[in-house]
Amino acid sequence: AKSSHWKKLLNSFLIPNLSKRKADIISTVEFNHTGELLATGDKGGRVVIFQREQESKNQVHRRGEYNVYSTFQSHEPEFDYLKSLEIEEKINKIRWLPQQNAAYFLLSTNDKTVKLWKVSERDKRPEGYNLKDEEGRLRDPATITTLRVPVLRPMDLMVEATPRRVFANAHTYHINSISVNSDYETYMSADDLRINLWNFEITNQSFNIVDIKPANMEELTEVITAAEFHPHHCNTFVYSSSKGTIRLCDMRASALCDRHTKFFEEPEDPSNRSFFSEIISSISDVKFSHSGRYIMTRDYLTVKVWDLNMENRPIETYQVHDYLRSKLCSLYENDCIFDKFECVWNGSDSVIMTGSYNNFFRMFDRNTKRDVTLEASRENSKPRAILKPRKVCVGGKRRKDEISVDSLDFSKKILHTAWTRLTRWTSYYLIISHTEY
């Protein structure tokens, strides 16, 4: 018989959470490839795009600030009548496509449906139609006595978001990842048990490239937690599991990648095994480095960096909040132990960032091996505010600038992070997403 906590872990993935949520809580963040735009999705199904303020000679200090560029409703709540299940409108992931022309394109997904959006600007409108009046109504042909040449007149800038493709009806379980391929013709979407490959031009058909669903669901021992394409090789992708493993797959080997090319797993130290070992080893996020040489994974307590050429253990391990190891029992009781934190590289793959509790986020310098804890609070959200390092006191005397581990607020957690790839702007590197206030 499976242990109760193992079932609880699987249920945290497979059973939809029907609890009431505030619609304006951010659920995902993503910079576009240039760092000019930042897209955020929330639990109300909305996408808000921010644009970076352009630098000017008179306002050099405003460089790096983002203002609202466009807002649109991406997904609406739905109901699956066959399964009697509510489908939330919450945006799970957003991924930008490289800009090919004046318009921008992005993918957004909720639990079941992926949509391709086009975001474009319009600052001129045509006037002087022959067959229509100025209000767009058809004119009586008998009244048309002269031929007019239509002209374009300036108008206030208007940003339009239009859905170009809707990719639906391909996932039985909740979509947790979408990733754009480096060929920019295909992308993949992953749920708890399957990964599908899509062509951007085909909405009614996808190819199943990974399927780990057992014939008998009682035999289920792991689920897919995240998946991502290699940044340069369009045939290669990785996906992580709730058992703390990473599989590297090559689509050239077979149509169904049920056999992995490489398998990354760190042997567990028997002396550290506990009741919570299986839960805290579950990988919540996996990211290729921009160079494509390394893979970064995030589990509940650590961030690990793996070399693609070494499968038996990570080359780097960073402790995010090891002081919570003694609090795992209470974190299990309040379900915080099932929180899924993301991790992100900086533009040069030299610094790693990930979130924690109490509005804290952690940054690790891979070159100097230094780390810092910073707080993303409302008090520090003013423009050009300098974040002061924070320290958590585990025991003994607490210094003035330290916070006790017993006073951490676990309802304030940073699950979602993004980092612009532009390395020349080191002071405007991240966007933090809070889940509770």
Side-chain angles (χ1 to χ4, degrees), residues 255-321:
L256 182 63
C257 299
D258 51 355
R259 294 184 180 180
H260 50 266
T261 304
K262 292 188 177 183
F263 183 77
F264 301 86
E265 182 180 26
E266 183 178 21
E268 184 182 10
D269 186 353
S271 62
N272 292 332
R273 184 166 183 81
S274 68
F275 176 82
F276 307 104
S277 295
E278 291 177 335
I279 302 177
I280 64 176
S281 64
S282 175
I283 295 175
S284 57
D285 195 17
V286 59
K287 294 282 177 61
F288 271 107
S289 62
H290 297 115
S291 66
R293 172 69 185 273
Y294 305 102
I295 301 172
M296 174 173 56
T297 60
R298 170 69 202 268
D299 56 43
Y300 190 68
L301 294 178
T302 65
V303 172
K304 297 175 181 178
V305 177
W306 304 76
D307 192 315
L308 289 185
N309 298 322
M310 189 167 69
E311 303 172 51
N312 60 338
R313 61 183 176 85
I315 60 172
E316 300 165 22
T317 300
Y318 302 97
Q319 300 295 332
V320 178
H321 38 214

Side-chain angles (χ1 to χ4, degrees), residues 181 186 197 209 229 234-237 249-255 257:
N181 203 345
T186 58
L197 180 68
I209 55 177
F229 270 118
C234 61
N235 56 281
T236 306
F237 67 93
C249 299
D250 191 336
M251 291 189 292
R252 296 173 300 184
S254 62
C257 299

Side-chain angles (χ1 to χ4, degrees), residues 7 14 24 41 97 124 246 291 357 367 408 425:
K7 288 185 178 180
L14 297 175
D24 57 349
L97 277 67
K124 293 181 176 64
I246 310 105
S291 66
Y357 294 102
N367 297 324
L408 294 176
W425 291 325

Side-chain angles (χ1 to χ4, degrees), residues 39 55 65 72 113 116 128 148 171 259 263 306 339 375 423:
E55 181 182 5
E65 294 183 21
F72 59 92
T113 303
L116 174 65
R148 295 189 298 177
H171 287 276
R259 294 184 180 180
F263 183 77
W306 304 76
D339 287 333
E375 182 180 2
T423 56

Side-chain angles (χ1 to χ4, degrees), residues 105 116-118 162-166 203:
F105 290 86
L116 174 65
W117 291 87
K118 177 183 178 181
T162 55
R164 299 303 301 270
R165 304 282 190 276
V166 178
T203 61

Side-chain angles (χ1 to χ4, degrees), residues 44-204:
R46 295 182 297 269
V47 172
V48 181
I49 301 176
F50 298 86
Q51 185 178 45
R52 194 179 72 242
E53 187 76 24
Q54 297 297 319
E55 181 182 5
S56 65
K57 294 182 179 180
N58 298 329
Q59 294 179 319
V60 178
H61 65 280
R62 296 196 64 179
R63 182 185 185 185
E65 294 183 21
Y66 284 77
N67 297 319
V68 174
Y69 177 69
S70 176
T71 302
F72 59 92
Q73 188 72 29
S74 175
H75 288 71
E76 300 282 355
E78 301 176 31
F79 190 82
D80 188 335
Y81 293 97
L82 294 178
K83 298 181 180 180
S84 297
L85 290 176
E86 294 181 11
I87 302 175
E88 291 183 322
E89 65 270 34
K90 184 190 76 165
I91 307 300
N92 291 340
K93 294 290 180 181
I94 292 174
R95 291 292 180 264
W96 290 91
L97 277 67
Q99 188 175 4
Q100 303 294 333
N101 48 43
Y104 302 96
F105 290 86
L106 60 87
L107 289 172
S108 63
T109 183
N110 65 347
D111 287 338
K112 300 294 182 180
T113 303
V114 183
K115 295 183 180 182
L116 174 65
W117 291 87
K118 177 183 178 181
V119 181
S120 56
E121 297 181 354
R122 192 172 68 177
D123 58 359
K124 293 181 176 64
R125 66 171 180 268
E127 292 183 358
Y129 287 106
N130 288 280
L131 302 179
K132 296 179 182 179
D133 59 22
E134 298 304 327
E135 296 181 359
R137 294 188 297 261
L138 289 176
R139 299 171 59 188
D140 183 357
T143 63
I144 302 175
T145 58
T146 59
L147 179 66
R148 295 189 298 177
V149 178
V151 296
L152 293 175
R153 300 292 186 189
M155 60 175 285
D156 293 337
L157 178 64
M158 183 171 62
V159 181
E160 297 177 317
T162 55
R164 299 303 301 270
R165 304 282 190 276
V166 178
F167 308 88
N169 304 321
H171 287 276
T172 303
Y173 301 97
H174 293 178
I175 298 174
N176 55 48
S177 302
I178 51 176
S179 180
V180 179
N181 203 345
S182 58
D183 61 10
Y184 305 133
E185 296 180 358
T186 58
Y187 77 93
M188 68 178 175
S189 57
D191 64 24
D192 300 322
L193 298 180
R194 294 188 178 97
I195 300 177
N196 294 329
L197 180 68
W198 300 83
N199 186 292
F200 280 110
E201 301 300 323
I202 303 173
T203 61
N204 60 354

